[in-house]
Every structure is written in structure tokens, then in C-alpha cells.
Amino acid sequence: MPDKLHFRFPTSNNQAGWSEDFRQKVENYSDQARFDPELVEFWTGWIARSSNGMGASFNLHRFWKTYGPQRTRELFGAASTYISTRRSNNAPYIEEFAEFLCDTPSFSFDDSESTGRAVREFMHYHLTKLHESDQSITTMIRDWRLFAKILDDHLLGHAWASPIPAVPSPPAPARRGVGTSIKKTKDGHLVKTCLLTPVPLHLTDSEALELLFRDIQAEADAVVAWARHEVAEARLRVAARKQLAQTGEVNTVGAPCLPTGLRHRTSRECPEALAHAAATFEARGFDHLSTGEEPRLLYPSPLNVTSWELGIPSANVLLAYAIVLVHNHPEITPGFIEGFELLDGDGKQIGFIEDDSGWHLKSFKRRRGAELAEQDVLLNEETTQLVKDLIEATRPLRQWLEKTNQPERGLLFVSAASVGTRPRCRRVEGYLSSNVDWVASRFVPFVRSENQQGRLLWLQDAEAARNLARRITVRRIRSQQGVLVFLKTGSAEEMAKALGHRTWDPELLDHYLPRPIQEFFQERWVRLFQTGLICEALVDSPFLLNASPFDTMEELDSFLENHALKRIPAHLEDPTQVGGKHVEQAQDKVAFGIEIGILTLLMSLEAAVRLSIKEPCGRAIRWARISEKLVAHLETQNEQPEFRRIVMDARRNVDPSLVERFIYG
């Protein structure tokens, strides 16, 4: 019979279970071992950190083998120095340049002509390669200019020879709002992509109506409703963890080969497994990352599922928090969120404070410059509770970051992929394609929840859900909210104010909406209600709607265009330029030809849209809004009581069922 298997070395990193004899041998080895510092450096790798702790890893192993450790340190040192002074961890083209030099056997670090020739050849080679992969020229120029700055400021002329000729630096393209964020779709159409909803550069009037009065609002509403659902669910998971922890047992790794019941407590077959996991996390948090204990021995597998059940905030969940925050306060930018410091270096809460007016978020918008950088956002009831929930959810993560003296320890938006990975600050705007499936899959249970209305059922379609999910970014949500302010107010100044801009830039709107859409809006909506109304009442039958031959919304829209609105006066035919100043003249009026039959039709459309069970088409929404404002205006005309009488007569004949079949298309 063979001897019983005996392990000479412990099978756990938990030093509490090590024998005293083995512990002594480890200490003796550590005292006597001699490590090659260059090999340690090589296998440790090259990681640079930005001023707010964001890491950037560089693969320079081949460069090290080709040119040696000193040249590698010089190249990495240039990138690291550049990153350390900035909040972004972006140092483009460093790895690609290193690989290119490895394939350039004639390169000399100490010869100016050699460095100059290598940089220019690399520029032609690499940018041509990127262009063939359809990367935008604007992005390539932006990244090359950053790369050139790293070389000029920290490498060439310092550790390596000054290049002859100098490093090429193409001029930055003028960022005009008209030409930014333009992409071509699979079917060959050009669209503007800075909003959640892609905006075609060219479309018909009916398509513009659908886009402006339905699609932009509907998609924004859907994403924000989903994000609110995720935030509420996250709050429940944190509360459930605290409740379960009171009934569970804290899991600890004991000595090897001794029965502890740990395997059963961390098994999914154990009914109390989650309660034990909750008790463990409440008592220990992420301490196992410091002690070397294997998290898979302390928590049920898979770890990411257990982490979700315990309410540990992942980057995906933080995206939902950010969306709700920006929806309520579009002046908040992604940079504001990523760099938001809840605590100062002494652990004092500085970013979330209360005064007589309520709770505030205070951070910095550095693009404004030093004097105007501080940004103060007064929260409402929803976002105040959201921030409090987020503080509680991320507290265990910050506690570990504080214990280990990590640079992210004071930030609010910290996350962990699972209980087995270190907490970190991730860019909420760095929306990866791998998240698309997760978000799309979360749409389905959200839509099926009891409190959702039928108008969101379209998200149950897998392709529609993925199409929307792949477009979600915090920046686009913010832009969408700004455009919605413009659509509701017709004022670019109000839009700029909502986005937190200190001054109004006439080109701001160009960045979000193509000019044809703006002109359509100006001509068909803003002018109707910013220049005033003159209502002319004509006597006619109130039974026009009942006897009408309309079969489609298109026919109804055409009839109203020709009969409800009188032709705009000649002096208004030349539209005011979008973004320009317009001085209202006394004669600048838009005339409505109003009779009882037409008013009955408009009010019936308004009622049908208000009572709709799914999202109406844009043309129906447009006429409903016209009716709402027109009727309100007529009812205030005390000097002309016949207007109020016409409204009363029309209201008696309103019947939304007669137009219900038209409003959806």
C-alpha cells in the first residue's frame, strides 16, 4: 500500500496556515536570495500612472531584448514623465514606435540624422496603416501631436539625439461644429454621432419630424429609465447584503487538512452560502487582496456573480449612476465624474457637502482654466439620494484603497470587476464593446418589470436593444439632454446654460445638430411660437372630423399644413440665421386660419397623443404641441370672447378615437 501523499509545500497563500518550520525556511530564503534587478524589472513590466492614479501599461519586452535595459528605461521614462503630469493616461504610439525601431537595424540613438529619419519613416508607415484600417484623420493627427510632444519634451534632444529634420507635427484640424463626429453607416449614409440618437445629415421634412419630436426624446427616455432601474436594483443588493450578513458566518482559511466546513459554506449548494459571503465581505472587505488569501476559497464561484449579488459596484453599474446624474444635471461632464474627489488626503469629505440650499457636488472642470475651474452643482432630491447610495456602495472599495495608500482612495467613482480584483477608478466614458451584450441583456428584465409601460416594449427585440446599447456613452447622454433643452425652448442660449458653458458659442449647436435640421426647426417650430400668434376664427361645421376622408397620418398632415396655417408673410420667408440675434418686430406674426372643424381636429389629435399606448409618430406629436399652445392662447383672449366660445364648441366635439389610428405612423 503506497504511503499517504504528503505535500512538502503549503497549498495556500494564507500564512496563518503555514507551519513554523516552513515559515522559517521562507525567511531564510528571503534573506539569502539574490535577485537580478534587471530580470525583476523585465518581468515586472512598465506601468506609468497619471496624476489621478490611472495606469497605462506598455509592452516593451522586445525593445528591451533588442536594445537593452537602458534604452528601454529612456523610452519608458519619457512616456511615464509625460503621463505623470496629466490626468489622462494616454501616451499614443509608444509601443508601436518601439516595435518599429526593433525592425530598423540601422537605427542609432546618438545620431541626429538617424533619429530624424526613423521618426519620419515611422510616421509614414504607421499612419498609413491606421488610415487603411479606417481610423479618422482627425484622431490620427491628434494622437500624433501628443506622441510628437512626448518625443520633443522628454526624449529626443535629451536621452537620444535631437532629430534632423525635426519631428513633424501637422497642424491640429480646426474643430468646427459642422464637420465633427461625422460617420458613414453601413448603407452609405452620413450621420452625426455625438448624440445618443444618430442624426442623418440629409433627410426629408417628415423624417425630420420623426427625429425631432419622437426619436431623440424616446431613446433618451429609454436609456435613463433603464439606468434608474439599475440604480434602484443596486441599492436593494447593498441593503440585502447588510441584512444577510447578520445571519452568516465569516469565512476564514484555516490550517491545511483540518476540517473547517469552509468548502460547504462557499458552495452554491449551501442555502446560506450568500449569507456567509455577505458576513465575510462586511467583516473583511477586500483585505484578502493584501493578505494573499485566495478569494475563491472565501466566496462562492463564479466570483463575478457573487460580487453582483453582494452589491459590489462594477464599472457597468457605475455607468448607470453616471447616466442618471448627467440626465438631471447635464452640466456634469465625464471628466467631472472620473476626477470627482469625495475625500481629501486627510479623509475629510469635500466633494459632497450640504448648505442651506441643499446638497452640492463640487469638483473641477479644468478646461475652463484655473480661475473658472471650480464647478458647483446643486443636486435635486433624486440625485442627492443617488450620491448617498453610491457613497455607501463604494465605501468598502475606498477603505481598501485607503489601507493600501492607493492614489484613487478619495474618488467616488471606484469599481471592482469582482471581489477577487483590486478596486480601481475606471473611465466612465471608456465604454468598451464588451459591455454591449451586458447592457442589451439587462434591457429585457427591465422592460418586463411591472412598472414599465408598453411604449418600451421595443427594447425586448434583441437587435434593437444591441443597437441602442452600443451607442450609450455618458457624453452622448449629456449632449442629448442639451439638444432636448433646445427643442423645448428653441433657445441655443438655454442649451448652453444647461450644459454648463460660461458663454454661449454660436457654433455650439452645429456640434450637435446638422444645419438642415436646425433650419427645419427654426422655420417650422421656433418661428411659430416665438414671433407671436394672430388667430382668425372662421365659422364652419364642427363635424368636419367625422366626415373627413383621411386614411393616413400623411393625408392628415398635408390637410393641416394647407388649411390650419396661413402662408408666412413675405418678410419672414428669409429665415433668421441659426444662432444669430433676432429683433422681434411688431409685424412679425404667424397667422392661423382657425375654424371649429379644424380646431376640433387639432384638439382630437392632442387628446389622442396624450392617451396613446405607445410612442406616436413625430408628425402627430408636432400637431399635438401646436394644438396645446394654440388652445391655451385662444382661451386667454379676454378682449375677443368669440375665440373662447370657438374653443368651447370644439371641445364638445373632440373625439380622439377618430384619429387614434393615424397617430402611430
Side-chain angles (χ1 to χ4, degrees):
M1 182 175 179
D3 293 338
K4 183 179 179 181
L5 289 176
H6 174 71
F7 293 98
R8 184 176 177 184
F9 302 103
T11 57
S12 169
N13 288 330
N14 180 16
Q15 297 184 20
W18 291 0
S19 67
E20 188 59 34
D21 178 61
F22 181 77
R23 187 194 310 278
Q24 188 62 45
K25 290 180 179 178
V26 170
E27 291 177 357
N28 291 338
Y29 175 77
S30 299
D31 292 339
Q32 299 174 14
R34 296 293 180 266
F35 298 103
D36 185 332
E38 288 191 352
L39 287 178
V40 172
E41 182 180 356
F42 178 84
W43 290 112
T44 301
W46 298 271
I47 300 176
R49 292 201 174 274
S50 64
S51 60
N52 64 350
M54 295 176 63
S57 178
F58 298 90
N59 183 355
L60 302 176
H61 296 88
R62 186 181 174 213
F63 189 83
W64 174 293
K65 291 181 178 179
T66 305
Y67 292 110
Q70 183 57 35
R71 295 303 184 185
T72 306
R73 294 182 192 121
E74 291 166 354
L75 178 60
F76 171 69
S80 180
T81 301
Y82 174 81
I83 290 176
S84 66
T85 61
R86 286 160 171 78
R87 299 180 63 80
S88 169
N89 62 349
N90 184 30
Y93 303 161
I94 294 295
E95 288 184 353
E96 294 82 355
F97 185 51
E99 288 292 312
F100 179 82
L101 293 181
C102 289
D103 296 325
T104 310
S106 61
F107 177 72
S108 172
F109 296 92
D110 300 317
D111 182 76
S112 293
E113 291 185 359
S114 180
T115 56
R117 180 172 59 253
V119 171
R120 286 184 173 269
E121 289 177 354
F122 170 68
M123 180 182 184
H124 180 268
Y125 163 78
H126 188 58
L127 297 192
T128 299
K129 181 179 177 181
L130 292 177
H131 182 64
E132 290 173 350
S133 65
D134 292 331
Q135 185 167 124
S136 74
I137 294 177
T138 300
T139 300
M140 289 190 292
I141 292 177
R142 180 199 63 199
D143 287 346
W144 179 267
R145 287 172 62 84
L146 289 181
F147 173 68
K149 183 173 180 59
I150 295 173
L151 296 185
D152 286 335
D153 291 354
H154 306 292
L155 187 64
L156 303 182
H158 302 275
W160 300 0
S162 298
I164 298 176
V167 177
S169 184
R175 291 188 58 81
R176 310 294 292 181
V178 174
T180 57
S181 303
I182 305 297
K183 289 187 178 181
K184 183 180 289 187
T185 63
K186 292 180 180 180
D187 54 8
H189 295 139
L190 294 176
V191 297
K192 208 164 180 66
T193 60
C194 58
L195 300 184
L196 177 67
T197 307
V199 181
L201 296 192
H202 305 288
L203 45 131
T204 64
D205 284 359
S206 61
E207 290 172 333
L209 282 166
E210 296 299 305
L211 178 75
L212 292 175
F213 294 103
R214 186 181 71 174
D215 295 349
I216 290 179
Q217 184 72 63
E219 292 195 338
D221 289 346
V223 172
V224 172
W226 162 76
R228 282 174 168 151
H229 176 77
E230 292 295 347
V231 167
E233 291 289 305
R235 181 189 305 121
L236 293 177
R237 289 194 296 273
V238 172
R241 182 188 76 215
K242 295 179 178 296
Q243 186 68 28
L244 282 171
Q246 301 175 18
T247 62
E249 180 179 345
V250 177
N251 293 328
T252 55
V253 178
C257 304
L258 294 180
T260 61
L262 180 61
R263 179 173 297 181
H264 172 68
R265 293 198 303 275
T266 58
S267 169
R268 288 282 171 180
E269 296 178 358
C270 174
E272 296 83 20
L274 190 59
H276 299 318
T280 304
F281 188 75
E282 282 296 300
R284 306 188 58 190
F286 286 88
D287 286 349
H288 56 275
L289 299 179
S290 303
T291 61
E293 295 168 274
E294 288 288 341
R296 60 184 177 82
L297 300 179
L298 298 171
Y299 295 95
S301 296
L303 291 180
N304 63 326
V305 174
T306 299
S307 301
W308 175 267
E309 294 169 336
L310 294 178
I312 298 174
S314 66
N316 291 334
V317 173
L318 290 191
L319 175 66
Y321 279 93
I323 287 172
V324 177
L325 197 60
V326 170
H327 165 74
N328 283 275
H329 310 287
E331 66 267 36
I332 293 178
T333 65
F336 179 105
I337 291 172
E338 291 160 5
F340 181 77
E341 295 179 348
L342 177 68
L343 309 174
D344 64 11
D346 297 325
K348 179 183 177 182
Q349 186 164 298
I350 58 172
F352 182 54
I353 59 176
E354 185 182 21
D355 61 18
D356 293 340
S357 60
W359 285 92
H360 298 249
L361 290 185
K362 289 196 174 184
S363 187
F364 296 90
K365 193 173 182 180
R366 286 169 172 77
R367 287 191 305 171
R368 288 177 167 179
E371 295 182 357
L372 302 175
E374 186 177 28
Q375 192 171 5
D376 188 329
V377 179
L378 177 62
L379 303 179
N380 57 32
E381 183 177 352
E382 178 184 22
T383 50
T384 296
Q385 185 60 51
L386 179 143
V387 173
K388 290 179 178 178
D389 290 342
L390 185 55
I391 290 173
E392 187 59 33
T394 55
R395 190 185 308 279
L397 287 69
R398 268 191 309 280
Q399 289 173 343
W400 183 82
L401 293 169
E402 174 64 31
K403 289 179 182 178
T404 55
N405 197 32
Q406 301 295 320
E408 302 104 321
R409 61 186 180 272
L411 301 180
L412 174 60
F413 279 79
V414 289
S415 63
S418 80
V419 73
T421 60
R422 68 176 294 274
R424 56 178 294 194
C425 173
R426 295 190 62 178
R427 296 182 61 194
V428 296
E429 198 57 13
Y431 190 75
L432 306 178
S433 58
S434 59
N435 288 348
V436 171
D437 289 336
W438 181 85
V439 174
S441 69
R442 295 295 297 170
F443 281 151
V444 176
F446 155 64
V447 173
R448 289 177 180 171
S449 61
E450 295 181 0
N451 62 336
Q452 298 307 316
Q453 302 297 322
R455 63 185 59 200
L456 290 178
L457 290 178
W458 59 276
L459 280 177
Q460 291 191 77
D461 178 74
E463 186 56 35
R466 279 185 58 82
N467 184 34
L468 180 60
R470 70 169 58 96
R471 290 186 267 118
I472 296 176
T473 68
V474 176
R475 180 170 283 106
R476 284 174 177 166
I477 293 294
R478 176 173 178 263
S479 300
Q480 194 107 337
Q481 286 304 112
V483 169
L484 286 172
V485 170
F486 172 75
L487 295 180
K488 291 174 182 176
T489 65
S491 170
E493 291 95 330
E494 287 298 319
M495 176 182 175
K497 182 180 178 181
L499 292 174
H501 292 211
R502 288 284 180 174
T503 58
W504 171 57
D505 181 355
E507 294 179 355
L508 173 68
L509 200 55
D510 290 339
H511 181 69
Y512 301 110
L513 287 178
R515 285 285 176 87
I517 301 296
Q518 297 178 45
E519 292 167 359
F520 170 88
F521 184 85
Q522 288 289 101
E523 294 173 7
R524 289 203 166 194
W525 184 250
V526 177
R527 198 183 293 145
L528 291 176
F529 298 106
Q530 285 189 332
T531 58
L533 297 171
I534 296 179
C535 299
E536 179 183 355
L538 301 175
V539 178
D540 198 15
S541 169
F543 302 107
L544 169 67
L545 181 58
N546 305 67
S548 66
F550 306 130
D551 292 321
T552 66
M553 187 63 216
E554 185 175 0
E555 293 177 358
L556 189 58
D557 182 65
S558 177
F559 173 82
L560 289 172
E561 283 285 356
N562 292 324
H563 295 85
L565 303 182
K566 283 194 171 183
R567 194 177 189 281
I568 297 174
H571 61 280
L572 292 180
E573 283 296 320
D574 183 19
T576 56
Q577 185 175 356
V578 176
K581 296 286 185 179
H582 172 66
V583 180
E584 182 176 340
Q585 303 294 330
Q587 68 270 26
D588 289 347
K589 304 293 183 180
V590 174
F592 281 87
I594 298 301
E595 55 188 1
I596 293 178
I598 290 178
L599 197 56
T600 302
L601 177 55
L602 285 172
M603 295 171 69
S604 296
L605 267 174
E606 178 189 349
V609 168
R610 187 172 60 251
L611 300 173
S612 60
I613 58 174
K614 59 182 180 179
E615 193 68 23
C617 68
R619 284 175 288 192
I621 295 175
R622 178 203 177 205
W623 287 113
R625 290 187 179 178
I626 289 176
S627 173
E628 179 184 350
K629 291 183 177 291
L630 181 59
V631 170
H633 177 79
L634 291 172
E635 290 182 321
T636 61
Q637 301 306 300
N638 295 325
E639 296 180 358
Q640 294 176 293
E642 65 273 17
F643 287 170
R644 286 184 291 168
R645 186 178 64 253
I646 293 172
V647 172
M648 293 174 59
D649 291 342
R651 183 169 281 123
R652 281 195 293 267
N653 295 281
V654 168
D655 188 352
S657 65
L658 294 176
V659 293
E660 183 180 9
R661 67 185 186 277
F662 300 140
I663 66 173
Y664 301 114

